[in-house]
Amino acid sequence: MNKENRNAPRVEEPSVRITRARAKAFGRSAEVLSSSQPVVKQGQKRALQENSKKRASDENKASIVSTIGLQHKRRAVLKDVTNSNVDWTDASQVQARRGPANNVKVASKPKLAEDVPMAQDDIKTKLAEELSRIRVAEPLEKLEVKEEPVLQSMCHGLRQHGGADLMLPVQHLIKSAELQRPAKKEENMVCERLGSSNELDIVDIDANLKDPQACSLYAPDIYSNIRLTEIERRPSTNYMERLQQDITPSMRGILIDWLVEVSEEYKLVPDTLYLTVNLIDRFLSQNYVEKQRLQLLGVTCMLIASKYEEIVAPRVEEFCLITDNTYSREEVLEMESEVLNFLHFQLSVPTTKTFLRRFVQAAQASYKVPCVELEFLANYLAELTIVEYGFLKFLPSVIAASAVFLARWTLNQSDHPLTPTLEHYTSYKTSELQTSVIALEELQLNTKGCCLNAIREKYRHQKFKSVATLTPAQRVGSLF
């Protein structure tokens, strides 16, 4: 290296980090130096080139840091709409919050970048206030319909201004209101068909909540369900003409009349008798049975019904004995397996007795003292139908309603038998019961001279108030 280069003054590198202000000041001094010294030596030129590169890199870093700071601040605004205490015009607060790591002085925001977050902040604050006015903790039935347009407009505003964190509670409220409307509509349809129980002339028979065995809270739902079940599991109405060739409706009547005597012999509950008849008809609806095995089917179905309904059911040997040992124990058990497999063990079937209990309760709602004769007479009329094959065309609920209708008319012809309360709980009108009531009255009067008298003899006893001897003073056809 020559002597001139060794003696030339060195340009020292700055010991501190160059900021944009220092870089600008350094640039001005370099211009003065270049104007005063037109000839720059080689060592000085190299130092100036290095310093200019550092200035450019520092300016880029400062601009990047400033941009990142603005973006971070904007994300913070979208995340928390309630943060309205920050003065966004003072950028030094953001720099002080971030810390002195970069030592970069952030310039104030342009006016356009400042107005957009401010507008978003104001809109979201208003939306949050509107949302807070709607009490989410209230029950859904208290959500008024007039609030739905407000919720819809809030959702529209949130979608436009990026309030994704508020969309979930607003959408939940709208969905809850929409789910409530179909349920309310379905309830109105049911009340329109059955009649409103809030009317003054309709008595609420489920108001007795003190008796846990009455299941008063669940009674409406239970009977709504069994009204569907009685249609699904009803026997065929024409299986004698369609399938059975060896047995006749009179044979079926003789079998059931004999089973009534068997139930009286073993003191079985009425539900067992009704279920026995239902199982017989459902099996005969799809299976061909010879007349030699008809009695075997009858005692087997009564054995199954006894196991289902009775606390202590008669043994298989007792049913064999009641048939004078016509069938062995093995034959009864084999038939039991065949019937249960065919029915897929579906023994929970609503019968006429199931509906009769509720309809009698509704019929006596207007009485100050329960009428025992009404209950016995309705049960007597309902049991008369199980012997007749022609009554299979009527649903169990129709037969029960008709029995209560005719029983009220037999005891008292001064009032209409179908009261508003009874019409509400049966869901049948007078015109809908005309055919079944007239047919039931013919059974009561025994106009056809039927010789099957097991049920009639049963209800002639004094324990049933001898209701089998009662007849209406006036024919029921005058009501239709």
Side-chain angles (χ1 to χ4, degrees), residues 112-129:
L112 180 61
E114 178 183 358
D115 293 340
V116 175
M118 285 290 291
Q120 292 178 354
D121 185 25
D122 295 339
I123 292 174
K124 290 166 193 165
T125 304
K126 293 179 180 180
L127 293 176
E129 292 176 357

Side-chain angles (χ1 to χ4, degrees), residues 292-410:
Q292 291 82 6
R293 303 179 73 239
L294 183 60
Q295 189 180 15
L296 174 62
L297 175 64
V299 296
T300 302
C301 290
M302 181 161 280
L303 172 65
I304 297 172
S306 300
K307 292 181 179 180
Y308 186 83
E309 295 288 354
E310 301 292 333
I311 298 177
V312 180
R315 296 179 294 116
V316 181
E317 291 77 11
E318 295 181 78
F319 283 106
C320 295
L321 180 63
I322 204 69
T323 62
D324 199 13
N325 293 321
T326 304
Y327 307 103
S328 62
R329 184 177 187 273
E330 289 73 17
E331 290 177 316
V332 174
L333 295 178
E334 183 180 357
M335 178 60 75
E336 180 186 20
S337 176
E338 185 178 352
V339 172
L340 290 175
N341 288 326
F342 169 75
L343 299 176
H344 302 289
F345 290 82
Q346 295 179 354
L347 305 180
S348 299
V349 181
T351 61
T352 303
K353 185 64 177 179
T354 307
F355 296 99
L356 198 59
R357 289 190 178 93
R358 186 165 180 82
F359 295 168
V360 169
Q361 184 182 3
Q364 299 196 35
S366 59
Y367 296 163
K368 295 181 179 180
V369 179
C371 183
V372 181
E373 288 82 0
L374 175 63
E375 182 177 358
F376 289 153
L377 184 56
N379 281 279
Y380 164 65
L381 297 174
E383 286 190 24
L384 286 177
T385 62
I386 65 176
V387 182
E388 297 295 326
Y389 169 75
F391 274 82
L392 287 178
K393 61 183 178 182
F394 299 113
L395 289 172
S397 59
V398 175
I399 297 176
S402 302
V404 176
F405 186 100
L406 187 56
R408 283 179 54 85
W409 176 253
T410 302

Side-chain angles (χ1 to χ4, degrees), residues 181-195:
R181 283 197 300 269
K184 192 70 176 177
K185 182 178 180 181
E186 183 179 357
E187 181 181 355
N188 293 335
M189 292 176 63
V190 173
C191 290
E192 183 179 356
R193 173 171 172 78
L194 300 181

Side-chain angles (χ1 to χ4, degrees), residues 171-355:
Q171 289 178 351
H172 174 71
L173 289 174
I174 296 177
K175 186 176 181 182
S176 300
E178 292 177 352
L179 290 177
Q180 184 181 358
R181 283 197 300 269
K184 192 70 176 177
K185 182 178 180 181
E186 183 179 357
E187 181 181 355
N188 293 335
M189 292 176 63
V190 173
C191 290
E192 183 179 356
R193 173 171 172 78
L194 300 181
S196 176
S197 59
N198 295 328
E199 298 180 5
L200 297 178
D201 52 353
I202 295 179
V203 181
D204 185 11
I205 63 175
D206 297 320
N208 184 17
L209 304 179
K210 297 181 180 179
D211 186 6
Q213 296 183 353
C215 300
S216 300
L217 291 175
Y218 312 103
D221 295 332
I222 291 174
Y223 280 92
S224 297
N225 181 60
I226 63 179
R227 291 294 288 268
L228 300 177
T229 309
E230 70 169 342
I231 300 176
E232 297 174 355
R233 299 181 183 178
R234 65 179 303 188
S236 175
T237 60
N238 59 346
Y239 65 83
M240 285 291 183
E241 300 81 7
R242 179 179 51 84
L243 179 61
Q244 303 300 330
Q245 300 177 358
D246 203 23
I247 60 177
T248 61
S250 61
M251 294 181 182
R252 173 190 175 275
I254 294 172
L255 172 66
I256 296 175
D257 188 74
W258 175 73
L259 290 175
V260 172
E261 296 178 354
V262 174
S263 64
E264 285 295 301
E265 179 69 22
Y266 290 113
K267 296 180 174 56
L268 304 180
V269 296
D271 301 80
T272 303
L273 179 62
Y274 281 101
L275 182 57
T276 300
V277 177
N278 179 270
L279 298 180
I280 293 173
D281 289 328
R282 287 166 64 191
F283 188 82
L284 292 177
S285 298
Q286 301 293 333
N287 298 271
Y288 175 77
V289 177
E290 298 178 353
K291 60 181 179 181
Q292 291 82 6
R293 303 179 73 239
L294 183 60
Q295 189 180 15
L296 174 62
L297 175 64
V299 296
T300 302
C301 290
M302 181 161 280
L303 172 65
I304 297 172
S306 300
K307 292 181 179 180
Y308 186 83
E309 295 288 354
E310 301 292 333
I311 298 177
V312 180
R315 296 179 294 116
V316 181
E317 291 77 11
E318 295 181 78
F319 283 106
C320 295
L321 180 63
I322 204 69
T323 62
D324 199 13
N325 293 321
T326 304
Y327 307 103
S328 62
R329 184 177 187 273
E330 289 73 17
E331 290 177 316
V332 174
L333 295 178
E334 183 180 357
M335 178 60 75
E336 180 186 20
S337 176
E338 185 178 352
V339 172
L340 290 175
N341 288 326
F342 169 75
L343 299 176
H344 302 289
F345 290 82
Q346 295 179 354
L347 305 180
S348 299
V349 181
T351 61
T352 303
K353 185 64 177 179
T354 307
F355 296 99

